[in-house]
Amino acid sequence: MFNRTLDIGITEYLPAIPVQMGETDTSRYADIDFILHFCDVVGIYAELGLDSVSKYMWGDSLDHHKSYFDRDGNQGVNYPVHEQLARHFRGEILTVDRSSSYDDTLVKLYAVRSAPGRYFFVILNKDVEHEATIRVAWSIQELTIRIPPRSYTSLIVSGNQITVSGIGN
């Protein structure tokens, strides 16, 4: 209808299934655990073809909604990750080829190309005890990176410039 594609989205609360971690009150979760859950849910939705996610953004306190705002507009401790995803996790979701399975490494990788030469990678290490060394390759470049246990790492690639950021336990 009207010669355009249909965007599919989800709104309100991100579901807690299968781990039973909800976003209505994040105070009971360690900061890094909620970051890993939030990023993984958004990545899974993107891989399944969801075009947009909107969520409940306001909480009674910063601890109540760590990735969002409190009623006074103060940013939660995890807000920078939410903002980074909102700015960079857009475009064409790419298929990730793995040399080992998630069950073996507990590392998730999501990749997006927003324009020629512009990529955004989200690397989630859910192993609470072991760091991981992974090789990320795209177009004509590659990077080998060591990530700490229980951590969020992102790569922002623009041409030959690579920005690495992360949060670990």
Side-chain angles (χ1 to χ4, degrees):
M1 186 169 153
F2 304 120
N3 251 352
R4 63 179 205 184
T5 60
L6 175 66
D7 287 339
I8 310 253
I10 189 165
T11 187
E12 293 303 325
Y13 303 106
L14 297 179
I17 303 300
V19 295
Q20 297 304 315
M21 182 177 280
E23 68 171 322
T24 56
D25 180 4
T26 63
S27 63
R28 61 183 162 224
Y29 311 120
D31 296 343
I32 190 65
D33 292 339
F34 187 71
I35 288 173
L36 293 173
H37 169 73
F38 177 79
C39 295
D40 201 16
V41 168
V42 171
I44 288 168
Y45 282 159
E47 285 184 336
L48 292 173
L50 197 66
D51 296 308
S52 62
V53 175
S54 89
K55 19 232 168 304
Y56 182 79
M57 289 291 294
W58 304 98
D60 294 328
S61 70
L62 289 180
D63 197 42
H64 190 94
H65 287 291
K66 295 177 184 180
S67 288
Y68 315 128
F69 297 100
D70 68 8
R71 292 184 183 272
D72 298 321
N74 300 306
Q75 294 177 359
V77 67
N78 294 350
Y79 185 79
V81 172
H82 165 83
E83 185 175 15
Q84 190 177 58
L85 288 176
R87 287 183 182 205
H88 301 288
F89 199 71
R90 53 182 62 227
E92 175 190 2
I93 188 83
L94 302 175
T95 302
V96 174
D97 294 324
R98 303 175 186 278
S99 59
S100 57
S101 74
Y102 168 74
D103 292 334
D104 292 336
T105 64
L106 299 180
V107 173
K108 285 285 206 68
L109 173 68
Y110 299 102
V112 175
R113 179 177 48 230
S114 60
R118 297 183 61 87
Y119 299 88
F120 180 65
F121 299 93
V122 173
I123 307 165
L124 308 174
N125 185 358
K126 294 185 176 184
D127 191 319
V128 298
E129 297 177 0
H130 303 99
E131 66 180 24
T133 301
I134 64 167
R135 185 177 135 279
V136 181
W138 64 95
S139 150
I140 58 170
Q141 296 175 310
E142 71 176 60
L143 177 70
T144 300
I145 187 168
R146 227 169 69 194
I147 54 175
R150 200 172 170 206
S151 64
Y152 164 90
T153 304
S154 69
L155 308 175
I156 301 170
V157 177
S158 181
N160 289 327
Q161 181 179 353
I162 302 171
T163 304
V164 180
S165 65
I167 301 172
N169 186 18

